[in-house]
Amino acid sequence: MSRTTFFEVEVLDAKTKEQLCFLDKVDPHSTIGDIKSLFYKSHPQWYPARQALRLESKGKSLRDDEILQNLPVGTTATMYFKDLGPQLGWTTVFFAEYIGALLTYLLFFFRVPYIYSHTYAFTSSPHPVVTLACVCHTFHYMKRLMETIFVHRFSHGTMPLRTIIKNCAYYWGFSAWLAYYINHPLYTPPSYGELQIKYALITFAMCEMGNLSIHMSLSNLRVDGFRVRRFPMPTKNPFTWLFFFVSCPNYTYEVGAWMSFTVMTQVLPGRKTLLGIQQLKEWPSGSQKLQSEKFKHNKGANIMSKSVHQAPR
């Protein structure tokens, strides 16, 4: 019967190289997540989500599911710790982003005092498209909130507090900018009237349904406690057929929804959609790279997007 060879793990500060912790008799089958929990016992100010452990002071952070004995280290391993700062769970992050954007828009729609002239306080617009735009905007973010609760399965546990501040500023600010012009007393309806509004609304609704369909499809790919991820494939749902053509259809539908909203309202801030497309290109690009590594055996096939979008989404 073979004896188990235990490991010794030394944790150093990535900046100062000062020893923070020395772990003796660590099981070789321990994961990085287990080591973080052991480190947390001696340094309770750094809970596991705040910790980044690396094999080099400026190297890549190790994943929580990596196993100690599979790492390129000897029985005495040296790891470097970096404090990631205060963290928040993804559910909290999304609720803050979406609820803020939703309520911000409604403040302008109901024309609360001090936004427009006092003459227009708590009045409503005579143009039906203004109410329709509010319904669409509200539906979009209500859908996001419902997806956060019932659909999304999170790949990463937390987000840095400084990042959520930046994200909320983006969501809330864009929502306020958009709402200010659409609900302005001097707002004028689209140039082509009902025809322009009608077709843009239909496109918006289809893109929203498509986005929801893709999110549900991606959510169903994870099995066995999220450890196993199946490869994304189109289903009988026609909205998923975009998997034949693009890697991340949820972002394709996202862009389509906001572009149709822009056409429907015909306001200048709506053109901000074009600026957001660049960011929407970066998220799926990073996701595609990650998934390409996991599904190398599926050469030539489309790669799924992340099961949870991490920004607007």
Side-chain angles (χ1 to χ4, degrees), residues 25-312:
K25 294 185 178 181
V26 180
D27 191 289
H29 298 95
S30 297
T31 63
I32 296 300
D34 296 330
I35 295 174
K36 287 182 178 181
S37 296
L38 294 173
F39 180 74
Y40 171 63
K41 291 181 179 179
S42 59
H43 296 277
Q45 71 272 31
W46 293 317
Y47 47 87
R50 287 189 66 152
Q51 302 175 30
L53 296 180
R54 305 167 177 173
L55 295 182
E56 299 178 4
S57 59
K58 296 183 179 180
K60 182 180 179 182
S61 297
L62 298 169
R63 301 190 315 274
D64 284 355
D65 60 352
E66 293 189 74
I67 299 174
L68 181 59
Q69 68 176 1
N70 295 337
L71 299 175
V73 296
T75 54
T76 300
T78 299
M79 296 184 182
Y80 296 89
F81 161 80
K82 179 182 178 181
D83 181 13
L84 297 177
Q87 304 286 307
L88 291 174
W90 279 111
T91 300
T92 302
V93 170
F94 289 155
F95 266 81
E97 293 172 352
Y98 300 155
I99 291 178
L102 176 63
L103 297 180
T104 298
Y105 192 99
L106 293 177
L107 291 177
F108 289 85
F109 177 74
F110 290 110
R111 291 178 174 172
V112 298
Y114 307 110
I115 294 180
Y116 303 113
S117 171
H118 181 70
T119 306
Y120 298 100
F122 296 116
T123 63
S124 58
S125 172
H127 306 297
V129 66
V130 172
T131 301
L132 184 60
C134 181
V135 171
C136 290
H137 189 275
T138 301
F139 173 81
H140 176 81
Y141 283 106
M142 286 300 296
K143 178 180 76 73
R144 287 296 177 76
L145 291 170
M146 293 300 101
E147 288 175 341
T148 300
I149 299 172
F150 300 109
V151 178
H152 292 318
R153 300 185 180 186
F154 301 102
S155 300
H156 305 286
T158 60
M159 172 184 281
L161 178 61
R162 61 181 179 274
T163 304
I164 188 178
I165 295 175
K166 179 183 68 175
N167 282 12
C168 285
Y170 172 86
Y171 276 103
W172 301 6
F174 176 46
S175 181
W177 190 33
L178 192 67
Y180 176 83
Y181 286 95
I182 295 176
N183 298 284
H184 197 283
L186 300 180
Y187 171 79
T188 56
S191 303
Y192 296 96
E194 292 296 326
L195 186 65
Q196 179 174 336
I197 296 171
K198 176 182 176 181
Y199 284 106
L201 176 62
I202 293 173
T203 304
F204 176 85
M206 292 182 64
C207 288
E208 288 291 304
M209 290 301 299
N211 183 265
L212 174 61
S213 297
I214 297 300
H215 285 160
M216 294 181 67
S217 178
L218 294 177
S219 178
N220 292 332
L221 291 175
R222 288 180 177 271
V223 296
D224 190 23
F226 305 134
R227 294 180 180 276
V228 179
R229 181 182 298 179
R230 298 194 300 269
F231 193 78
M233 296 294 292
T235 65
K236 294 180 180 180
N237 182 346
F239 287 113
T240 66
W241 295 351
L242 270 185
F243 274 123
F244 284 124
F245 309 104
V246 295
S247 301
C248 305
N250 50 325
Y251 293 106
T252 305
Y253 285 121
E254 181 78 14
V255 171
W258 284 114
M259 290 186 69
S260 59
F261 186 88
T262 300
V263 172
M264 182 177 65
T265 57
Q266 196 174 305
V267 293
L268 178 63
R271 297 175 189 174
K272 166 106 170 26
T273 302
L274 300 178
L275 301 178
I277 290 177
Q278 179 59 38
Q279 181 63 64
L280 287 172
K281 286 173 59 181
E282 294 177 4
W283 292 327
S285 294
S287 179
Q288 177 163 335
K289 181 179 179 181
L290 174 64
Q291 299 303 331
S292 295
E293 296 175 356
K294 293 186 177 184
F295 297 107
K296 288 180 180 179
H297 59 284
N298 290 316
K299 295 182 178 180
N302 290 320
I303 306 301
M304 71 178 277
S305 78
K306 50 194 172 200
S307 62
V308 160
H309 38 252
Q310 297 179 1

